[in-house]
Structures are given as C-alpha cells and as structure tokens.
Amino acid sequence: VTTRKSANGTKIPKSAREVRLAKHAEGKLTLGCFEVAETAVPEPGKGEVVVRTDYVLVAAAFQDMMRTDCQLPIPPFQIGQRMGLGAVGTVMLSNSPALGVGDLVMSMSGWSEYSVGPAEQYFKIDAKQFESPVYYLSQGPTAYYGMADIAKVGKGDVVFVSGAAGGVGSLAGQVAKCRGAKMVIGSAGSKAKVDYLVNELGFDAAFDYHDGSVVDNLRKLAPDGIDVFFDTVGGEQFEAAVQVAARSARFALCGALSAQNTSRKDASPRLDLMTVITQDVDLRGFCCMHTPEQLGAWAQHFGMWLAEGKFVFPHTIVEGGIEQLPHALIALLQGKYQGNVSLRVAAGD
Amino acid sequence: VTTRKSANGTKIPKSAREVRLAKHAEGKLTLGCFEVAETAVPEPGKGEVVVRTDYVLVAAAFQDMMRTDCQLPIPPFQIGQRMGLGAVGTVMLSNSPALGVGDLVMSMSGWSEYSVGPAEQYFKIDAKQFESPVYYLSQGPTAYYGMADIAKVGKGDVVFVSGAAGGVGSLAGQVAKCRGAKMVIGSAGSKAKVDYLVNELGFDAAFDYHDGSVVDNLRKLAPDGIDVFFDTVGGEQFEAAVQVAARSARFALCGALSAQNTSRKDASPRLDLMTVITQDVDLRGFCCMHTPEQLGAWAQHFGMWLAEGKFVFPHTIVEGGIEQLPHALIALLQGKYQGNVSLRVAAGD
C-alpha cells in the first residue's frame, strides 16, 4: 500500500519527495549540492496534521543557508536535512480541532511534497484574499521593513533600488512610491527587466547596470543625489550609491547578491568614509527574519495598496514539481526571473 | 607709529601676523602649503571690537579644509586667505556696548595674532569657569554628539574608540564611561599613549595598533564583540571593527585620519556587507559643525562631569607663537600630541 485516503477522498502517499542539502555550497552553487530524496509521510500524532505542499518559496537567502560560513541569525541547512522555509499547503488529515481538512495553511515546512507536524506550526490563511496563495510567500515584509523602518522613506525622497526586478527590490520600489517618494530609480540586469520596472511596476526610471558605469547612470538620473538607497546587490552598485549620496542619505542594506558567488573578502566593496562622514550618511544592515509586528505592517499595507490599484505583486511561478527546485534556485541567483519566485509543488488538484 | 594703546594701557600694533594658505594640500601636508604674513589691524568701526588672540585650535579637520576636494559642509580655505577656526582672545578696543575691554571672548577668527570684527561674532566667556581658556577650544561637542546622539552609548555597552589619544577620541571614550558603558577600549599609536589612556583617562583597556592585527587585539579584549565603535581613524581599524561587531552594533564614523595622507580611493576601506547585514549594524557618518543645542549639551555635561571628578580634559598647549602653527598641524597629523591641541598665541600678558 503506498497511499491512503484523506477524509475528503484525496489520496495521501506513504512516502513523498523532499529536497535535501547534499553538500555545503562553496563559491558558485551547483546541482551537486542538492539531493531529491524519498521520505516517509508518517501517521499524524495527537494534535498533528498532514499537509500537502502546494507552493514553496525560492529565495536568494537559501544560498547563504547552504554555506558553512552562513552568518544569518537562523540555523543553516544541515547535510542530509530538508531545505527551504516558507510553504503554502492544504490540510489533508487533521488530528487537531484547530485545523480542518481542506484548510489552506502557511508554514515553514520547506521543500517537501508533504509535511506532518503539530497544528500550531501551520497558520490558516484566507484562500479568497488574494488571487493566488503565492501572495503569502512574498518577500514583502523585508521590503516594507527596509523602506519604512530602516530607510524611513517619505515625501520628496529620491530613491535608488539595486536589483529592482528581484523579489525584494520589486516590492521595495513600490513601497517607496506608495509612501510618497519623488523619484524611484531601479537597476536591473537586462533591457527586458528595465522596461518591466518602468512599464509594469511604476518606477520613474531604470537602467541596466551593464550599460556604462553605475555612478554615471545615477548622476544623470539624480543630479541632486539620492536620499535613500535600498541595496540587494552590493559591489559596484553600493560603491556608486555612496558617491551620489545626498546629505543625510539613508541606506537600507538588505543583500549582497553580487557577492554570492565569490569569497567573503572579494565581496566587500570599498567604503568611501570621507563621503559618509561629510554627508552624514546612515548605513544600516538588516536581515530577513521578522517580528509579528513587521509581518502585520506589511500585510496591512499590501492589502490596502493592492485594493487601491497602486501596487502589483511581481512574481514568477516555476512549474515542473519539486525536482525543479535546485534548478530554480540556481536560475534565480543567475538573475533569470522577475519578482518573487515560488515553485508549484502540487497546486490545483 | 606701529602701535597704539588700548583703553587699559596695552599696546595694539598697527599690523600683526596671520597664517595663510599658500597652496592647496595634496597627499602629505608640507610647510610649503602655509605662509606666515603680516596684515593690517584696522581701526574698529561702529559696533566692532579689536581682539588679541590668546589661543587657537589646531585640529585634523584643517587639513581637509586645505584640499581642493574638501567635502566638509563648510567653506574650505582659499589661497592667500587666513586659516584656522576656533580662537579665544581678549577684547582690546571696543566700539560696542556688548563687550568691554578685557573681556575674554571666543570666536571663529582663526590663526591670527589680532582680529577686528562686529561684536556679535565674539562670544563672551567666563574666565573663571575652567582652569584655562583652552577648555573652550575642546573638540567635546563632536565627541559628545557622536557618543550620545549617533551611537546612543549606554549601560552595558562594550565600546571601541580608534585614535583614542586624539582630541576627539580622548573625550569620546570618557563620555562613554560617564554614560555607563561596561567596557571602553581604545587604540593608539604608541606604548606611552596606551598607558595614558588606561592610567590617566580611565579607559578599561587599550592597545597599540602597531602590535599585531587590530582584529586579534579586539577579539581578545572583547570576546563577545563590540556594541559601539567611535571611529576617527578608518582603514584597518574600521575593517576590524566590522569583523567584531556585536548584533545591532552602532558605529559613529567621525574621521578617517589614516586616510589623510593618501588619495581618496586608497583611503576607502573594505566593507564586509554580509556582516553588516546579518548583524544589523548601523553605521552613521557625521561631521564637525554643531547646532547650538549640541554645543549646549556638551557644555552642560562637561561642566558637570569635571565637577564630579569623573572627567579630565586631555590637552596639549603648543608654545612658540603663531609661526609654529604650520609645524603644529603637521605634528598633530603625525600623531605627536595627546588630546586636544591648541597653540598659545599671546596668552598671559
């Protein structure tokens, strides 16, 4: 027997696939770092549920969590253990009064086709609130916290977002616009992404960072300098942003994607201290684990701005099932996607 | 006739000496950048005073103001014009009811033996408040603002001050102690300065940055990392401080003395963005022009802490008259002095 039936008639397999860390990432990520393995789907104990995974998040931070020198304030992935974090799924069996079969839930169950665990680890979500459950897997909390709380973006600010077509950047730029920024400039890695930022996401200007020097692009677009910089890239883009910082500029440092494939030492851009000092620049690093208050602030504004037609949720849903996850993470790090990325594991049965 | 007499009988010359910028500084400062010149001491107009300069401030920022690429938010020195800023002097002639002959005043009249100007540009100070008028030329406002307002140092913090025997650093470390820091570590450039920090200024620990790597020294002295970094040096000390930053560390970036003798590009240390991001480090640059509120906050705490015996004012008074000013600035940049530096122009007549 390899399946059993859920209370609503759906078959539940005895085992299912998950993606594990096969070896730690060093330098460029390779397929050899991942393993797709069969694992048991045990019977749920008292208070537990069995959840079929519908979508999982794919995000750049996962590469950091695959490294031996991971510095994030969350446990890195261990060899032989399941990878991933955010997932949306459907309850198939429930031994808890808190959740019923068919409920849509969000959890940190990661990259597996099924998961089993205490009901408290699954948060019931409203399937009708958004047009797709992947809206719950957005990187919006990071974008919102960085723009609103770290950079304190507001009326009249000239804003630069690096990696603006990415999961965080595409939302961060829109948050700045909604909070009254005068001008939002984005950088991206292709002509198609540059057009997308201006035509679809409402950026005031955008440039391809392969075209000329970043500092020249910024000087042309923002002759009076930038008040806010939201950085997901680091490297040359970070150095250029310091050069064009306006007085009392605020930098929200969120990621250093340009550094993902190099050693830590090479990945450290130069910091022009005299400019930082004489321009009173405030540079603040922050990372991606959020408090319930931060999650709530994002959810409230996201819902409001979507309803007002001021906001879009730029996202890519990768198809092909769980065995595509290693390819999807590598493609994301190569800049092949736009917006937030999730992978469809078993949606739409 | 080359002199006239003040109302109290003191002779006032018709001309006096001042130090002018002869050519802009590039790289290492040389004596050829300065000129000591004779200039007229004109008759004061209505509302004006004639002031004999007693002491003038000597500070590292003056080198920046001598460069063509000066980025400070104050006008740089112009070729052929008088250098310097802060000065303490004695009113010799007065055509204003606001000031009387013999009054001790502070002003921004710079590196000259005499100055003439509107009484509003001279602030009357209390000769009896401190043991010497040079206390009014301290760099305390910068030290206090950086520690209290930028770094928000407080109870339990582990603090690192680079260039701790310098004019700003020697006061910044004491401000941190007075505000309840758990441990204050200073770096300096000689064994004598290291001893001075610990034995005279109340630092908990200090090290010579020539002895071993800065990061090793810091790891040994602060195994749990540093919560606050007050930087006047930049370079390797800045890079090391990032490596040992505790979570949510605050960096007050005040100066980059290590960069004074090199080009801007070489003077930019590497910034390890991943550490800044994952440790939520806040780096804030600030520079040395202060609001009246900031000046007042320093004066209030300085007076209080001196009276309580918790604070000393580390300072060097250079003798030899105004022609020694070029030598004094070069010696200061070479690290030859301890604490705040002023030069005696005509005190104690």
Side-chain angles (χ1 to χ4, degrees):
Chain A
V1 184
T2 58
T3 60
R4 57 216 137 142
K5 282 198 176 178
S6 167
N8 64 0
T10 316
K11 288 175 183 169
I12 301 172
K14 291 276 189 198
S15 71
R17 291 174 303 168
E18 66 179 18
V19 179
R20 297 175 180 166
L21 183 68
K23 66 178 170 102
H24 284 112
E26 288 176 64
K28 233 179 174 65
L29 199 57
T30 60
L31 289 175
C33 296
F34 305 87
E35 178 193 14
V36 181
E38 198 80 14
T39 188
V41 180
E43 289 299 317
K46 189 159 180 287
E48 291 191 332
V49 292
V50 177
V51 174
R52 182 197 66 201
T53 306
D54 296 333
Y55 298 95
V56 293
L57 173 68
V58 183
F62 293 167
Q63 188 190 19
D64 288 307
M65 297 171 68
M66 295 171 73
R67 298 174 77 121
T68 50
D69 62 352
C70 174
Q71 292 187 312
L72 296 174
I74 42 176
F77 300 133
Q78 302 292 319
I79 287 178
Q81 298 294 301
R82 185 191 296 170
M83 295 179 52
L85 276 176
V88 170
T90 304
V91 176
M92 307 304 281
L93 281 173
S94 176
N95 284 342
S96 162
L99 291 172
V101 170
D103 282 351
L104 195 64
V105 291
M106 194 190 147
S107 71
M108 293 292 152
S109 61
W111 288 1
S112 65
E113 292 176 316
Y114 278 82
S115 66
V116 180
E120 307 87 68
Q121 293 179 4
Y122 296 83
F123 304 91
K124 189 171 170 174
I125 58 180
D126 179 359
K128 298 197 194 87
Q129 190 184 352
F130 299 120
E131 59 180 71
S132 161
V134 298
Y135 279 59
Y136 286 102
L137 297 178
S138 93
Q139 294 179 274
T142 300
Y144 186 83
Y145 176 68
M147 273 296 182
D149 296 313
I150 301 285
K152 297 183 177 63
V153 76
K155 280 210 197 322
D157 281 331
V158 175
V159 178
F160 171 42
V161 179
S162 68
V168 177
S170 61
L171 299 173
Q174 295 184 80
V175 168
K177 267 322 257 189
C178 287
R179 284 176 58 98
K182 184 166 78 179
M183 184 181 201
V184 178
I185 300 165
S187 68
S190 72
K191 174 78 166 68
K193 285 181 178 178
V194 164
D195 292 344
Y196 172 71
L197 291 176
V198 175
N199 299 332
E200 308 288 328
L201 301 189
F203 280 64
D204 298 288
F207 63 92
D208 184 338
Y209 62 81
H210 301 100
D211 289 349
S213 86
V214 176
V215 78
D216 288 345
N217 275 292
L218 289 172
R219 287 219 168 98
K220 197 159 52 185
L221 293 168
D224 295 328
I226 57 168
D227 303 298
V228 165
F229 176 41
F230 191 106
D231 192 17
T232 69
V233 173
E236 184 198 350
Q237 305 207 43
F238 172 84
E239 290 180 353
V242 172
Q243 293 310 308
V244 301
R247 270 200 78 68
S248 303
R250 292 92 69 202
F251 282 24
L253 307 178
C254 171
L257 249 180
S258 71
Q260 299 277 352
N261 294 330
T262 57
S263 71
R264 179 66 47 85
K265 195 173 161 63
D266 294 337
S268 297
R270 294 274 178 192
L271 179 64
D272 178 351
L273 278 177
M274 283 310 292
T275 296
V276 170
I277 291 166
T278 56
Q279 295 286 74
D280 285 350
V281 181
D282 185 0
L283 305 99
R284 284 187 63 186
F286 68 104
C287 65
C288 54
M289 301 310 289
H290 297 290
T291 64
E293 290 69 28
Q294 290 165 13
L295 297 173
W298 158 249
Q300 182 200 333
H301 288 90
F302 188 36
M304 183 178 79
W305 289 333
L306 281 171
E308 293 172 354
K310 291 179 179 173
F311 213 91
V312 296
F313 178 53
H315 64 282
T316 301
I317 298 175
V318 181
E319 306 288 348
I322 201 154
E323 65 268 30
Q324 290 304 313
L325 276 166
H327 303 274
L329 180 56
I330 289 171
L332 178 146
L333 292 167
Q334 290 169 342
K336 297 211 172 140
Y337 300 126
Q338 286 177 175
N340 292 248
V341 180
S342 53
L343 182 135
R344 189 193 306 264
V345 178
D349 68 316
Chain B
V1 184
T2 57
T3 60
R4 54 216 139 141
K5 282 201 175 174
S6 168
N8 64 0
T10 316
K11 290 176 183 168
I12 302 173
K14 291 276 186 197
S15 69
R17 290 174 302 168
E18 65 180 17
V19 180
R20 298 176 180 164
L21 183 69
K23 66 177 170 101
H24 284 112
E26 289 176 63
K28 233 179 173 67
L29 199 56
T30 61
L31 288 174
C33 296
F34 306 86
E35 179 193 13
V36 181
E38 198 79 13
T39 189
V41 180
E43 288 299 316
K46 187 157 182 286
E48 292 190 333
V49 291
V50 177
V51 174
R52 182 198 65 199
T53 307
D54 296 332
Y55 297 95
V56 294
L57 174 67
V58 183
F62 292 167
Q63 188 189 20
D64 288 307
M65 296 172 69
M66 295 172 73
R67 299 174 75 121
T68 51
D69 61 351
C70 173
Q71 292 187 313
L72 296 174
I74 42 174
F77 300 134
Q78 303 292 319
I79 286 179
Q81 299 294 301
R82 185 190 295 168
M83 295 181 51
L85 277 176
V88 170
T90 304
V91 176
M92 308 304 282
L93 280 174
S94 176
N95 283 341
S96 162
L99 291 174
V101 169
D103 281 352
L104 196 64
V105 291
M106 195 191 147
S107 71
M108 293 292 152
S109 60
W111 288 0
S112 65
E113 292 176 316
Y114 278 81
S115 66
V116 180
E120 307 86 65
Q121 292 178 5
Y122 296 83
F123 305 92
K124 189 172 171 173
I125 57 180
D126 179 0
K128 300 196 194 89
Q129 191 185 352
F130 300 120
E131 61 179 70
S132 163
V134 299
Y135 279 59
Y136 286 101
L137 297 177
S138 92
Q139 294 178 277
T142 300
Y144 187 83
Y145 176 69
M147 271 298 182
D149 296 314
I150 300 285
K152 297 183 176 64
V153 75
K155 280 209 194 328
D157 280 331
V158 175
V159 178
F160 171 42
V161 179
S162 69
V168 178
S170 61
L171 299 172
Q174 294 184 80
V175 169
K177 267 323 256 190
C178 286
R179 285 177 56 97
K182 183 166 77 180
M183 183 181 202
V184 178
I185 302 165
S187 69
S190 72
K191 173 77 166 67
K193 286 181 177 178
V194 164
D195 291 344
Y196 172 71
L197 292 176
V198 174
N199 298 333
E200 307 290 329
L201 301 189
F203 279 64
D204 298 289
F207 63 91
D208 184 336
Y209 62 79
H210 301 101
D211 288 349
S213 85
V214 176
V215 78
D216 288 346
N217 275 293
L218 289 172
R219 286 217 168 100
K220 196 160 49 185
L221 292 169
D224 295 329
I226 57 168
D227 302 299
V228 165
F229 176 41
F230 190 104
D231 191 17
T232 70
V233 174
E236 184 197 350
Q237 305 207 42
F238 173 84
E239 291 180 352
V242 172
Q243 292 310 309
V244 302
R247 271 201 76 70
S248 303
R250 293 93 68 201
F251 281 24
L253 307 178
C254 172
L257 250 180
S258 70
Q260 299 275 353
N261 293 333
T262 57
S263 70
R264 180 66 45 84
K265 197 173 157 66
D266 293 338
S268 299
R270 295 273 178 192
L271 179 64
D272 179 351
L273 279 176
M274 284 310 292
T275 296
V276 171
I277 292 168
T278 55
Q279 294 286 75
D280 285 350
V281 180
D282 186 358
L283 304 100
R284 283 187 65 186
F286 67 105
C287 65
C288 54
M289 301 310 290
H290 297 290
T291 64
E293 290 71 27
Q294 290 164 14
L295 297 173
W298 159 248
Q300 181 201 335
H301 288 90
F302 188 36
M304 181 178 80
W305 290 333
L306 281 171
E308 292 172 354
K310 291 179 180 173
F311 213 91
V312 296
F313 177 52
H315 65 281
T316 302
I317 298 176
V318 181
E319 305 288 349
I322 201 155
E323 64 269 29
Q324 290 303 313
L325 277 166
H327 303 273
L329 180 55
I330 289 171
L332 178 145
L333 293 166
Q334 290 170 342
K336 297 210 172 140
Y337 300 127
Q338 284 177 177
N340 292 247
V341 180
S342 52
L343 182 134
R344 189 194 307 263
V345 178
D349 67 317

